[in-house]
Amino acid sequence: MMKNIKEDERLNKLNHSCAHLLAQAVKHLYPHAKFWVGPVIEEGFYYDIDLGEDVIKEEDLETIEKEMKKISKDGKRIVREELSLEEALEKFKEDPYKIDLIHHMEEGTVISCYMQGDFTDLCRGPHVESVKELKHFKLLKVSGAYFKGDSKNHMLQRIYGICFDTIEDLEAHLQELEEAKERDHRKIGKDLSLFMSHDLVGKGMPLWLPNGALIRKQLENYIYEKERSLGYQHVYTPCVGTVDLYKTSGHWDHYQENMFPMMKVDEEEFVLRPMNCPHHMLVYGNSLHSYRDLPIRIGEFAQDFRYEASGAVKGLERVRCMCQNDAHLFVTPEQIGDEFKKVVALILDVYKDFGIKEYKFRLSLRDPLDKEKYFDDDAMWNEAENKLREVLDSFGIDYYEAIGEAAFYGPKLDVEVKPAVGPEVTLSTCQLDFLLPRRFDLSYIDKDGSKQVPVVLHRAIFGTFDRFTAFLIEETKGAFPLWIAPTQVVVIPVSDEHHGEYAEEITSWLKEANYRVELDHRNEKLGYRLREAQTKKIPVTVILGEQEQKDQTISYRLFGEKDTTSCSKEEFLNYLQERIEKRR
Ligand code: TSB
Ligand code: ZN
C-alpha cells in the first residue's frame, strides 16, 4: 500500500514546504509566473501556476528540479509572519490569485505568510524550519488544471511532486509508483488487447476488443447464474427514455448535469439514460402485486450514459458509456433487513470468488439536522439506518459511517476499492429508496387488502462491468484466473513438422471440451513461443513433442512457472475442470 502523504504529519509538512520550494524555483525561471494553490495530496503535492503564454513540458521538470536543489543548498530559513487584512492586501496587491484567496478567507482567520530568501507565499503552514530539509524530492508530472476546477475558467499548469526525508524512502516510493504504472489497467488493457478507444467514437467510450469481450462474457454468465439462483428476474429495456420519464423519476431536476443532452425525434424528447431505475419501476408497475409476491427482483445488464468531466474519464474505470450489473428489489418495509442481508451476502460471496480482499464498506447515512437535503420521514430513516447497521454487524463487517452522504431518497452502502493509480472508487452499491416507488405510484396489496407502497433497493454487485473489469485487470495484473482468461490454454508443438498433427488433434479435443484454446504452430523457435505465452499471460501452456506424441500424453506449464508436468489426457482435463470449479 502506498503511503498517504497527507495523513502523515511529518510528510505533510515536508511536501507542503516542497510545494513552496517548487514555486520559488519556477519564479526564478519564469519571473512572470503567478501562483494559485499548492496543496498536499495523498500522493505528494502539486502547485497550480499561471505562466501566461509559457508552457512547461515534462522535459522542463529537470531544470526546475535543479533550481530547487540550488535553493535548498543555499539553506535559507523559512520564516512565518502574521498579517492584518490590510497588510496582506497590500503585500499581495500585485497578485490577483492571492488577493482572491484573501477575500475568500473566513472571518477571523489568522492571515500568515511564509518567507524563504527572495520568495514569500501566502500560507497557513506549518512548514519545516529551513529549505535545507528539502533534499529528497522528485517532480513527477505536469498537466493542465482549470482555475478553481471549473471548466468555464482558464487553464493553469499543475506540477506534481513528492518529497521524503531520506533518499531510500524516495526511491522506494518511486519504485512503487513504477509498479503501479505497470499494474494500471489502461496499460495492461493495451498490452493484452482487451479494449481500445478512438476519437471518432468519443471520450470515455471504450470499445471492448475480442479478448476483453470474452472476459466480460464470463462475468455476465457468472453473475447471471448467481442472480437467477437467488430469484432475480432479468429484463431488457431500451437505453433511452423520454424526458417525461426522467421528470417523473426526478432525475431531470436533480441529475441533469450528469446526463447527455436531450434529443428530439419527431415530437418525442429523448435522453440517453443515466440510470435504469425508471424503466424498472415501469416493469414492476405493469402488473398487480400481492405482498405474497414480494420481494420482486428485477435485474438487467443495462447500458447507461453519463456525462463525466473529460478530465475524470479513465480507461474502463470511469466511462461515459457503461453497463451496470443492475437490479431493483421491490420489498415490503418489513423485508428491508432480510433483503439487504442477502445483497451483502452476495457481495461477500462474489468477492470471495474473485479473491478480492482489500476493500472498505462505507455506510452513507443522512445528516438528521439537514432537513432540506433529505426526504422527510424521521421514523423511516431511523429504522432503515438501524437495520442496515444491524445487518453489517451480523456479518461482523468492518465499516465506516459517512454522515450526510446518503442519497436524498435513502441510506446506502458502498464498497470502495483502491485502483493502481488514483483515488478510491466504488464497486458495489446497495441503496435504499423510499421515494421512487411513490413517484411512480407503485403498490402492492397487503394482507389486510390495503394498498401499500413498496420500498426499493437499488443494487449493483459488480457496479458496472466496465469498472469491475478495470479492477480485475489490476488485481490480477492481467494474469486472469483460468475460468476468466480469454485464452485458457495455448498448445505448442515442439516442431510443427513432427508434432503438428498431434498438436492439432489436442487443440480440437480441448475445443470440443469447451476450453478457449489457441494453437501456436508458427515457424518460430520453441523458446520464443514459450516466452510469448508468458507475455500474453496465458494460464496454461501445453508443450507437445516426441514423447507426448508417442505416449499420447500431455505436458504443460503454468503461467509464471518453469516446471513442466506430464499426465494423461484424462488427468489434464480433470485438472482444468477442478481449477475452473475452484475458480483458481
Ligand atoms: C444501482 N440506480 C442505481 C443502481 O440501481 C445507480 O445507478 N447507482 S450508481 O449511480 O451508484 O451506479 C452504480 C455503479 O456504477 C456504481 O456503484 C459504480 O460502481 C458504477 N459507476 C458509476 N459511474 C461510473 C462510471 N462513470 N464509469 C464506470 N462505472 C461507474
Ligand atoms: Zn437504480
Side-chain angles (χ1 to χ4, degrees), residues 72-337:
S72 163
K73 262 208 190 111
D74 257 5
K76 291 277 186 304
R77 277 180 52 74
I78 302 175
V79 185
R80 177 187 165 96
E81 188 190 347
E82 287 184 7
L83 305 166
S84 69
L85 180 63
E86 292 71 31
E87 284 167 339
L89 290 171
E90 174 59 26
K91 197 174 190 90
F92 292 99
K93 67 171 186 271
E94 305 287 326
D95 189 337
Y97 290 111
K98 302 294 162 184
I99 295 291
D100 186 328
L101 284 174
I102 294 167
H103 283 311
H104 283 92
M105 281 177 181
E106 267 177 43
E107 240 189 82
T109 309
V110 179
I111 307 178
S112 57
C113 65
Y114 281 79
M115 290 165 290
Q116 49 197 58
D118 58 8
F119 183 76
T120 302
D121 203 352
L122 181 73
C123 183
R124 241 193 336 245
H127 284 283
V128 295
E129 304 269 305
S130 151
V131 290
K132 246 195 315 204
E133 292 176 55
L134 308 168
K135 276 201 209 104
H136 308 293
F137 54 79
K138 176 98 194 128
L139 297 182
L140 298 169
K141 62 174 177 179
V142 53
S143 67
Y146 289 110
F147 176 50
K148 297 189 177 177
D150 187 339
S151 61
K152 287 188 216 85
N153 290 339
H154 61 287
M155 273 270 198
L156 301 173
Q157 296 185 57
R158 177 173 293 178
I159 301 179
Y160 291 89
I162 181 96
C163 184
F164 285 94
D165 268 319
T166 66
I167 185 77
E168 291 77 20
D169 283 353
L170 176 65
E171 277 173 359
H173 183 83
L174 294 178
Q175 170 79 18
E176 274 182 60
L177 279 183
E178 214 36 57
E179 280 164 17
K181 262 196 217 156
E182 285 299 307
R183 215 157 54 80
D184 189 325
H185 77 279
R186 291 166 293 186
K187 177 175 188 304
I188 297 177
K190 203 166 179 189
D191 292 349
L192 299 183
S193 303
L194 303 178
F195 64 94
M196 62 174 273
S197 59
H198 199 289
D199 289 347
L200 288 177
V201 180
K203 269 210 178 78
M205 308 273 182
L207 288 78
W208 293 66
L209 297 170
N211 285 340
L214 273 167
I215 294 172
R216 174 154 158 188
K217 195 80 200 154
Q218 303 315 311
L219 298 181
E220 287 174 3
N221 293 347
Y222 163 84
I223 200 73
Y224 178 79
E225 287 308 324
K226 282 245 157 181
E227 290 176 353
R228 284 281 304 160
S229 73
L230 294 169
Y232 287 60
Q233 298 168 289
H234 293 88
V235 296
Y236 294 104
T237 62
C239 62
V240 293
T242 64
V243 167
D244 283 342
L245 176 67
Y246 286 96
K247 277 188 180 158
T248 308
S249 68
H251 288 97
W252 189 250
D253 287 335
H254 299 293
Y255 202 71
Q256 210 184 124
E257 65 201 31
N258 302 91
M259 291 161 68
F260 277 59
M262 182 267 282
M263 52 193 161
K264 226 171 166 174
V265 181
D266 295 336
E267 290 315 305
E268 286 182 302
E269 292 180 335
F270 288 104
V271 284
L272 289 170
R273 68 174 170 194
M275 293 198 189
N276 321 301
C277 342
H279 294 75
H280 291 183
M281 298 299 128
L282 299 180
V283 170
Y284 177 91
N286 186 48
S287 45
L288 287 175
H289 301 285
S290 135
Y291 70 95
R292 280 194 221 90
D293 307 330
L294 269 44
I296 287 178
R297 308 174 180 94
I298 298 176
E300 183 173 0
F301 301 158
Q303 208 67 30
D304 292 319
F305 296 82
R306 290 186 188 174
Y307 171 74
E308 296 277 3
S310 72
V313 292
K314 179 179 171 200
L316 289 180
E317 185 184 302
R318 187 171 297 279
V319 292
R320 286 176 170 172
C321 163
M322 66 199 82
C323 184
Q324 280 198 36
N325 153 226
D326 202 5
H328 294 93
L329 320 174
F330 298 82
V331 302
T332 67
E334 299 75 45
Q335 290 169 335
I336 292 175

Side-chain angles (χ1 to χ4, degrees), residues 1-28:
M1 207 51 147
M2 242 176 287
K3 254 210 162 90
N4 185 333
I5 306 292
K6 206 171 164 177
E7 279 176 9
D8 181 306
E9 201 182 327
R10 168 70 188 163
L11 288 177
N12 190 317
K13 209 188 309 182
L14 207 59
N15 278 270
H16 194 180
S17 304
C18 204
H20 281 218
L21 181 65
L22 162 67
Q24 186 175 10
V26 169
K27 189 82 189 161
H28 286 179

Side-chain angles (χ1 to χ4, degrees), residues 57-72:
K57 300 200 203 72
E58 298 278 332
E59 54 264 33
D60 300 323
L61 296 182
E62 216 181 303
T63 318
I64 301 174
E65 272 176 7
K66 272 198 191 127
E67 186 61 26
M68 289 167 74
K69 292 244 148 86
K70 215 163 101 197
I71 302 168
S72 163

